[in-house]
């Protein structure tokens, strides 16, 4: 798979976890919005139905009441006109009859207004005779419209003159229309709907619970499927990332990844230099399998592949945990050594050389003798990049090849010519 394509695929699946978290957040907000809107809608529908029903009942009660007490609460004739009025002498009798008449209908309070907005009767005798001039709903009733509204009353005396605390009432204004068609007053009827509003709340709670169960079930199943898909995407991401940085034959880092590791390690050491926490040192080893073409020609390419895999494993067994090895190309390997001076680089390279050469590689019951040539270098003080050291290590590898193979060589570094280091190099050449 081309590197660009690998990177594109990795980027597509890299945000799988972010996508899942975003989906969970959106789903939670959606569930909340659905529950809120549905419950609010259910509440409004049932509440409006309750108010409409109470209004219809209030109109019917008003018509029955007017028919039953018309002669006692209206005076006049068609020629002079009618008016709503109750004489003081008749008021106690009218009050008794109205209470008895209205008691079965769940009405807790009633007012009767004349066309001048004066209260001519109320179950609350203290307000009889008062003028209600700023009541907009009363004005609508005197214009011939029925007006209803749900109110919460903290306490009120019912028709039996018993105090009822915290009741829901529908206040309905019903116009009083005389025989000549003129509006001569209005009823204000307080109908107790506490039982119905309690039922509305129970319906809303039940609706909420049912919807919550349904939505959690539906979204839960969806989350399960999406979670499985996300896990598969994550696995695919991990596999693609592994493929993108791993040599498929040996299982170690590929060329691009080992070069990236060298770049990162050099940048890290330069930061440490700037922070004055350490002197930057980076060791480079270039290793090449000796006479690898001969191995392929003699034992076959499959055996050659097994040899490369075994050598990669042997190199890795020699390195420290924080070092890195990668297949640089063909039968070449690149080793990056963190915080390593030239002398220690030589020691590690020599251990690699001996680890490769001391024991033959057994392939299909055949013992194949293998050796490797190695070039070493370190980043010099003042160098702004690791690539010059890489080039010097490559030259050292060339020197090792031309000097007879199966050895470690150093080229170009000032340290390579030092008295302290020369004995080790000469010993290796011998």
């Amino acid at each position: 798979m081309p590197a660009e394509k690998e990177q594109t695929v990795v980027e597509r699946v890299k945000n799988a976890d972010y996508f899942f978290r975003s989906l969970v957040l959106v789903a939670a907000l959606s569930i909340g919005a659905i529950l809120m809107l549905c419950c609010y809608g259910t509440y409004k529908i049932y509440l409006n139905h309750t108010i409409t029903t109470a209004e219809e009942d209030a109109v019917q009660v008003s018509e029955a009441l007017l028919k039953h007490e018309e002669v006692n609460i209206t005076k006049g004739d068609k020629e002079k006109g009618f008016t709503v009025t109750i004489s003081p002498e008749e008021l106690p009798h009218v009050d008794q009859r109205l209470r008895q008449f209205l008691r079965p209908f769940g009405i807790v309070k009633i007012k009767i207004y004349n066309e001048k907005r004066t209260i001519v009767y109320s179950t609350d005798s203290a307000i009889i005779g008062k003028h209600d001039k700023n009541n907009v709903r009363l004005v609508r009733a005197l214009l011939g419209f029925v007006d209803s509204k749900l109110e919460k009353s903290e306490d009120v005396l019912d028709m039996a003159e018993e105090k009822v605390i915290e009741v829901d009432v529908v206040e309905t204004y019903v116009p009083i229309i005389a025989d000549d068609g003129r509006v001569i007053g209005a009823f204000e009827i307080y109908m107790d709907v506490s039982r119905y509003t309690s039922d509305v709340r129970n319906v809303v709670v039940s609706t909420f619970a049912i919807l919550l169960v349904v939505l959690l079930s539906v979204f839960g199943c969806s989350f399960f499927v999406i979670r499985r898909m996300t896990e598969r995407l994550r696995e695919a991401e991990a596999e693609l990332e592994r493929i993108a940085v791993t040599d498929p034959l040996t299982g170690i880092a590929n060329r691009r990844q080992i070069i990236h590791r060298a770049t990162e390690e050099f940048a890290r050491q330069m930061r440490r230099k700037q922070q004055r926490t350490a002197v930057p040192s980076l060791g480079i080893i270039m290793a090449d399998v000796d006479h690898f073409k001969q191995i392929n020609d003699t034992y076959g390419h499959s055996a050659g592949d097994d040899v490369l895999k075994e050598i990669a494993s042997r190199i890795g067994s020699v390195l420290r945990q924080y070092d890195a090895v990668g297949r640089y190309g063909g039968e070449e390997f690149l080793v990056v050594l963190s915080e390593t001076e030239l002398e220690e680089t030589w020691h590690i390279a020599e251990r690699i050389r001996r680890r490769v050469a001391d024991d033959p590689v057994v392939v299909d019951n055949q013992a194949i003798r293998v050796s490797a040539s190695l070039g070493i270098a370190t980043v010099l003080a003042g160098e702004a990049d690791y690539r010059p050291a890489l080039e010097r290590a490559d030259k050292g590898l060339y020197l090792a090849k031309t000097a007879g193979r199966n050895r470690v060589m150093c080229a170009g570094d000032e340290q390579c010519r030092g008295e302290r280091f020369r004995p080790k190099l000469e010993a290796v050449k011998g």
Side-chain angles (χ1 to χ4, degrees):
M1 181 183 294
E4 295 79 4
K5 188 173 181 180
E6 289 176 3
Q7 189 65 25
T8 301
V9 176
V10 169
E11 288 300 325
R12 288 178 181 173
V13 299
K14 201 167 186 178
N15 294 326
D17 285 336
Y18 174 76
F19 167 75
F20 184 76
R21 289 193 298 269
S22 300
L23 186 63
V24 170
L25 177 60
V26 171
L29 293 175
S30 299
I31 290 175
I34 292 172
L35 289 173
M36 182 180 67
L37 293 174
C38 288
C39 291
Y40 179 75
T42 301
Y43 174 76
K44 291 297 291 184
I45 290 172
Y46 276 88
L47 190 63
N48 289 337
H49 176 71
T50 299
I51 294 173
T52 301
T53 301
E55 180 181 292
E56 293 173 352
D57 292 344
V59 171
Q60 292 178 1
V61 169
S62 299
E63 292 174 351
L65 179 60
L66 183 60
K67 184 176 181 180
H68 186 266
E69 294 291 334
E70 185 175 11
V71 297
N72 298 309
I73 63 176
T74 62
K75 299 292 186 290
D77 52 41
K78 290 184 179 182
E79 293 181 0
K80 296 181 180 181
F82 293 91
T83 185
V84 174
T85 183
I86 301 175
S87 63
E89 296 79 11
E90 287 293 325
L91 192 57
H93 304 290
V94 171
D95 180 63
Q96 184 179 1
R97 289 195 302 270
L98 289 181
R99 289 179 183 275
Q100 185 176 3
F101 179 82
L102 296 173
R103 192 172 299 164
F105 297 104
I107 295 173
V108 296
K109 188 176 180 181
I110 187 172
K111 299 177 188 175
I112 302 176
Y113 295 88
N114 62 19
E115 60 185 345
K116 296 180 179 179
R117 308 181 203 174
T118 300
I119 301 173
V120 298
Y121 170 77
S122 174
T123 49
D124 181 4
S125 58
I127 63 174
I128 295 176
K130 291 187 176 181
H131 185 65
D132 197 350
K133 61 180 180 179
N134 296 321
N135 192 329
V136 177
R137 298 176 64 202
L138 174 60
V139 173
R140 282 178 50 80
L142 293 176
L143 292 174
F145 299 99
V146 177
D147 190 296
S148 297
K149 185 179 180 182
L150 179 68
E151 296 284 356
K152 170 75 78 173
S153 296
E154 293 184 359
D155 53 58
V156 65
L157 293 175
D158 62 11
M159 290 299 170
E161 296 189 356
E162 296 178 354
K163 180 178 286 189
V164 183
I165 301 175
E166 293 186 355
V167 294
D168 294 319
V169 296
V170 173
E171 297 179 6
T172 304
Y173 287 84
V174 182
I176 300 174
I177 303 176
D179 293 339
D180 58 4
R182 189 168 60 86
V183 178
I184 59 174
F187 292 108
E188 183 182 359
I189 297 175
Y190 292 71
M191 185 164 289
D192 184 4
V193 293
S194 299
R195 180 172 65 87
Y196 303 107
T197 53
S198 178
D199 291 342
V200 171
R201 285 189 286 271
N202 291 335
V203 168
V204 171
V205 171
S206 300
T207 301
F208 178 88
I210 293 172
L211 276 175
L212 182 61
V213 172
V214 172
L215 290 172
L216 289 179
S217 299
V218 173
F219 279 94
C221 294
S222 301
F223 287 155
F224 176 76
V225 174
I226 294 172
R227 188 63 180 176
R228 290 291 300 275
M229 294 175 62
T230 304
E231 290 175 356
R232 291 182 180 180
L233 284 173
R234 192 183 299 110
E235 291 172 0
E237 174 191 355
E239 180 63 17
L240 287 172
E241 287 181 346
R242 188 191 67 79
I243 292 173
V245 302
T246 305
D247 175 58
L249 175 63
T250 60
I252 60 177
N254 59 19
R255 180 188 179 102
R256 183 179 63 182
Q257 178 60 16
I258 193 64
I259 289 297
H260 177 70
R261 177 64 184 272
T263 304
E264 282 188 332
E265 185 61 30
F266 180 79
R268 185 180 72 84
Q269 296 203 34
M270 292 304 293
R271 286 195 299 271
R272 296 187 65 183
K273 177 184 177 182
Q274 292 173 356
Q275 297 168 359
R276 297 181 180 180
T277 58
V279 177
S281 56
L282 182 66
I284 301 291
I285 300 174
M286 290 288 291
D288 184 86
V289 181
D290 295 331
H291 303 296
F292 185 71
K293 183 178 184 302
Q294 184 177 340
I295 294 174
N296 279 334
D297 293 341
T298 304
Y299 301 98
H301 288 279
S302 177
D305 290 345
D306 290 339
V307 167
L308 290 177
K309 287 188 283 187
E310 176 61 21
I311 290 177
S313 175
R314 292 182 182 184
I315 294 174
S317 68
V318 171
L319 300 181
R320 301 163 299 186
Q321 185 177 2
Y322 46 84
D323 296 329
V325 59
R327 187 180 178 190
Y328 196 66
E331 62 272 19
E332 280 191 326
F333 297 87
L334 173 62
V335 179
V336 178
L337 306 175
S338 176
E339 300 180 11
T340 307
E341 298 292 349
L342 187 64
E343 184 171 352
E344 188 176 3
T345 301
W346 179 87
H347 281 292
I348 295 173
E350 178 60 16
R351 285 200 298 269
I352 292 173
R353 186 194 67 80
R354 288 198 301 268
R355 183 72 181 86
V356 171
D358 286 354
D359 298 314
V361 177
V362 180
V363 179
D364 294 333
N365 297 322
Q366 298 182 88
I368 303 174
R369 302 299 304 188
V370 182
S371 66
S373 300
L374 301 96
I376 64 170
T378 56
V379 176
L380 297 176
E383 288 186 326
D385 198 351
Y386 71 93
R387 287 181 177 83
L390 184 62
E391 293 175 0
R392 292 192 295 273
D394 192 48
K395 289 179 181 179
L397 173 61
Y398 175 76
L399 291 177
K401 287 285 187 181
T402 57
R405 296 181 173 83
N406 190 23
R407 64 195 63 215
V408 179
M409 296 291 289
C410 176
D413 288 342
E414 294 179 1
Q415 302 100 312
C416 295
R417 297 189 294 273
E419 292 294 331
R420 181 168 173 267
F421 191 65
R422 184 178 298 149
K424 295 184 174 63
L425 290 178
E426 292 175 349
V428 174
K429 292 176 184 178

